[in-house]
Amino acid sequence: MLILGLDCAGSACSAAVTEGDATLATCQEIMRRGQAERIVPMMQEVLETAGRSAEALDAIGVTVGPGAFTGVRIGIAAAQGIGRAAGCPVIGVSVTEALAALVPVAPASTLVVVLDSRRPDPFIEIFRASESGWQGDGPVALSGGLAALPDALGLSDTKGPSGADAQADHLIVAGDLAEQAVATMGAGRVAAVSAYPDPARVAVLAARMLSEGRPAPAVPLYLRAPDVSAPSRDRARRPAGA
């Protein structure tokens, strides 16, 4: 299957084209802002590099969160636009799932993906190793910040250096807050993978979902309400005390 993978949910703008297990073209640029202007030209670039047309696509995979409210919407809107034009399905992939897919499965290990939410409470998802890969519990916003991670992982009873060393052998941490999380917990090791979703892996996950008959809808995965304030001009028009 020919799949286009997209990610704008965090601090990167990424696109890739895959066919089967082969990555035909990929592009990733780190940026906290500007994805809206960059993602469509980037999609065109990777399709041209791959020597394929949008009409040839079998599906599009796009990260749906958790992540930046605006970035998630940008990525999904771009994917849906090209999906309608190409007449192919658009499949949602979570950011935590895409990052977990980069980490080799280690038997009897736990993987936690920790993401910067740009607010005090990070996004996390806990994965357990299984024969079929990492199995997650679903992403959540972690109330209490990184200091609450030991409780979330069931490590609060670990005491002393020897206990921390034992946990480090079985706990893997990924995501853009991985180093801070390991330092805070005093346990675990940082996975030697990118802190940002690989768009080729997003495409591969989308292809797998499609082939297994379980395509996830491309709808935003918001773990909390966005920060919204009225534009200054609107506030100026309001009566005093309103």
Side-chain angles (χ1 to χ4, degrees):
M1 288 188 288
L2 187 69
I3 311 292
L4 174 67
L6 303 176
D7 169 56
C8 294
S11 296
C13 184
S14 311
V17 178
T18 64
E19 190 166 28
D21 294 330
T23 299
L24 305 184
T26 186
C27 182
Q28 183 175 75
E29 297 176 10
I30 307 306
M31 55 175 68
R32 289 179 72 93
R33 296 178 179 83
Q35 291 100 326
E37 294 78 20
R38 188 69 186 98
I39 188 60
V40 173
M42 188 179 286
M43 289 190 298
Q44 296 170 338
E45 290 165 15
V46 294
L47 284 167
E48 289 175 4
T49 300
R52 302 290 194 274
S53 66
E55 291 74 18
L57 291 170
D58 293 301
I60 300 167
V62 60
T63 51
V64 295
F69 180 78
T70 301
V72 167
R73 290 188 300 164
I74 289 169
I76 292 175
Q80 290 175 339
I82 194 169
R84 283 193 293 269
C88 67
V90 179
I91 299 167
V93 177
S94 75
V95 172
T96 46
E97 182 180 17
L99 288 171
L102 298 175
V103 182
V105 177
S109 292
T110 297
L111 168 67
V112 57
V113 176
V114 189
L115 303 175
D116 184 3
S117 67
R118 305 183 188 178
R119 288 177 62 181
D121 302 339
F123 300 131
I124 72 164
E125 183 168 2
I126 299 170
F127 295 85
R128 312 291 177 182
S130 72
E131 292 183 358
S132 59
W134 293 113
Q135 299 296 318
D137 300 327
V140 298
L142 183 63
S143 178
L146 293 179
L149 259 180
D151 283 338
L153 290 163
L155 305 181
S156 55
D157 293 333
T158 300
K159 301 182 185 299
S162 61
D165 288 344
Q167 291 295 334
D169 292 337
H170 301 286
L171 176 61
I172 307 169
V173 188
D176 55 6
L177 288 183
E179 292 186 2
Q180 295 95 314
V182 168
T184 298
M185 293 186 293
R189 62 179 177 86
V190 177
V193 298
S194 173
Y196 308 103
D198 178 352
R201 193 58 58 94
V202 172
V204 169
L205 287 171
R208 182 183 304 167
M209 292 178 187
L210 191 61
S211 65
E212 293 175 354
R214 55 178 187 89
V219 295
L221 175 59
Y222 296 138
L223 301 183
R224 61 183 173 220
D227 296 322
V228 177
S229 59
S232 57
R233 287 181 296 178
D234 289 347
R235 289 199 298 269
R237 294 191 188 104
R238 293 180 181 178

